[in-house]
mmCIF file of all heavy atoms in Angstrom:
data_model
loop_
_atom_site.group_PDB
_atom_site.id
_atom_site.type_symbol
_atom_site.label_atom_id
_atom_site.label_comp_id
_atom_site.label_asym_id
_atom_site.label_seq_id
_atom_site.Cartn_x
_atom_site.Cartn_y
_atom_site.Cartn_z
ATOM 1 N N SER A 114 29.352 4.013 -11.636
ATOM 2 C CA SER A 114 29.529 3.443 -12.965
ATOM 3 C C SER A 114 29.442 1.918 -12.913
ATOM 4 O O SER A 114 28.806 1.291 -13.766
ATOM 5 C CB SER A 114 30.884 3.878 -13.534
ATOM 6 O OG SER A 114 31.119 3.290 -14.793
ATOM 7 N N SER A 115 30.050 1.314 -11.893
ATOM 8 C CA SER A 115 30.033 -0.141 -11.768
ATOM 9 C C SER A 115 28.630 -0.653 -11.473
ATOM 10 O O SER A 115 28.215 -1.699 -11.991
ATOM 11 C CB SER A 115 30.991 -0.581 -10.652
ATOM 12 O OG SER A 115 32.315 -0.144 -10.913
ATOM 13 N N VAL A 116 27.888 0.064 -10.633
ATOM 14 C CA VAL A 116 26.522 -0.346 -10.320
ATOM 15 C C VAL A 116 25.640 -0.248 -11.567
ATOM 16 O O VAL A 116 24.798 -1.124 -11.819
ATOM 17 C CB VAL A 116 25.942 0.508 -9.175
ATOM 18 C CG1 VAL A 116 24.453 0.224 -8.988
ATOM 19 C CG2 VAL A 116 26.688 0.238 -7.878
ATOM 20 N N LEU A 117 25.828 0.801 -12.362
ATOM 21 C CA LEU A 117 25.067 0.925 -13.603
ATOM 22 C C LEU A 117 25.377 -0.234 -14.553
ATOM 23 O O LEU A 117 24.485 -0.734 -15.253
ATOM 24 C CB LEU A 117 25.377 2.263 -14.276
ATOM 25 C CG LEU A 117 24.832 3.506 -13.559
ATOM 26 C CD1 LEU A 117 25.294 4.776 -14.272
ATOM 27 C CD2 LEU A 117 23.314 3.476 -13.471
ATOM 28 N N LEU A 118 26.640 -0.668 -14.570
ATOM 29 C CA LEU A 118 26.997 -1.830 -15.385
ATOM 30 C C LEU A 118 26.320 -3.089 -14.846
ATOM 31 O O LEU A 118 25.808 -3.916 -15.619
ATOM 32 C CB LEU A 118 28.517 -2.009 -15.398
ATOM 33 C CG LEU A 118 29.049 -3.247 -16.124
ATOM 34 C CD1 LEU A 118 28.623 -3.241 -17.598
ATOM 35 C CD2 LEU A 118 30.564 -3.330 -16.004
ATOM 36 N N ALA A 119 26.305 -3.249 -13.524
ATOM 37 C CA ALA A 119 25.638 -4.406 -12.927
ATOM 38 C C ALA A 119 24.141 -4.392 -13.226
ATOM 39 O O ALA A 119 23.532 -5.444 -13.484
ATOM 40 C CB ALA A 119 25.874 -4.423 -11.416
ATOM 41 N N MET A 120 23.536 -3.200 -13.215
ATOM 42 C CA MET A 120 22.109 -3.090 -13.531
ATOM 43 C C MET A 120 21.852 -3.424 -15.000
ATOM 44 O O MET A 120 20.813 -4.008 -15.344
ATOM 45 C CB MET A 120 21.615 -1.676 -13.199
ATOM 46 C CG MET A 120 21.681 -1.345 -11.719
ATOM 47 S SD MET A 120 21.267 0.371 -11.355
ATOM 48 C CE MET A 120 19.477 0.307 -11.440
ATOM 49 N N ALA A 121 22.795 -3.067 -15.872
ATOM 50 C CA ALA A 121 22.668 -3.430 -17.285
ATOM 51 C C ALA A 121 22.749 -4.951 -17.442
ATOM 52 O O ALA A 121 21.994 -5.541 -18.236
ATOM 53 C CB ALA A 121 23.754 -2.743 -18.107
ATOM 54 N N PHE A 122 23.636 -5.591 -16.697
ATOM 55 C CA PHE A 122 23.731 -7.051 -16.727
ATOM 56 C C PHE A 122 22.442 -7.688 -16.207
ATOM 57 O O PHE A 122 21.975 -8.697 -16.743
ATOM 58 C CB PHE A 122 24.927 -7.516 -15.890
ATOM 59 C CG PHE A 122 25.033 -9.002 -15.755
ATOM 60 C CD1 PHE A 122 25.386 -9.789 -16.848
ATOM 61 C CD2 PHE A 122 24.774 -9.626 -14.537
ATOM 62 C CE1 PHE A 122 25.483 -11.170 -16.727
ATOM 63 C CE2 PHE A 122 24.865 -11.002 -14.413
ATOM 64 C CZ PHE A 122 25.217 -11.783 -15.515
ATOM 65 N N ASP A 123 21.854 -7.067 -15.176
ATOM 66 C CA ASP A 123 20.582 -7.554 -14.639
ATOM 67 C C ASP A 123 19.485 -7.502 -15.696
ATOM 68 O O ASP A 123 18.742 -8.465 -15.892
ATOM 69 C CB ASP A 123 20.192 -6.714 -13.430
ATOM 70 C CG ASP A 123 18.765 -6.958 -12.980
ATOM 71 O OD1 ASP A 123 18.522 -7.956 -12.293
ATOM 72 O OD2 ASP A 123 17.878 -6.141 -13.337
ATOM 73 N N ARG A 124 19.383 -6.369 -16.413
ATOM 74 C CA ARG A 124 18.357 -6.236 -17.455
ATOM 75 C C ARG A 124 18.639 -7.199 -18.621
ATOM 76 O O ARG A 124 17.720 -7.779 -19.205
ATOM 77 C CB ARG A 124 18.304 -4.803 -17.964
ATOM 78 C CG ARG A 124 17.773 -3.774 -16.971
ATOM 79 C CD ARG A 124 16.330 -4.062 -16.570
ATOM 80 N NE ARG A 124 16.269 -5.053 -15.491
ATOM 81 C CZ ARG A 124 15.249 -5.879 -15.293
ATOM 82 N NH1 ARG A 124 14.218 -5.869 -16.128
ATOM 83 N NH2 ARG A 124 15.241 -6.738 -14.292
ATOM 84 N N PHE A 125 19.925 -7.360 -18.963
ATOM 85 C CA PHE A 125 20.294 -8.281 -20.036
ATOM 86 C C PHE A 125 19.885 -9.711 -19.684
ATOM 87 O O PHE A 125 19.316 -10.440 -20.508
ATOM 88 C CB PHE A 125 21.801 -8.206 -20.291
ATOM 89 C CG PHE A 125 22.329 -9.289 -21.169
ATOM 90 C CD1 PHE A 125 22.157 -9.227 -22.544
ATOM 91 C CD2 PHE A 125 22.990 -10.391 -20.628
ATOM 92 C CE1 PHE A 125 22.647 -10.246 -23.367
ATOM 93 C CE2 PHE A 125 23.477 -11.399 -21.437
ATOM 94 C CZ PHE A 125 23.297 -11.324 -22.809
#
Side-chain angles (χ1 to χ4, degrees):
S114 177
S115 301
V116 172
L117 290 176
L118 176 59
M120 295 174 79
F122 175 70
D123 168 80
R124 291 298 84 208
F125 168 78

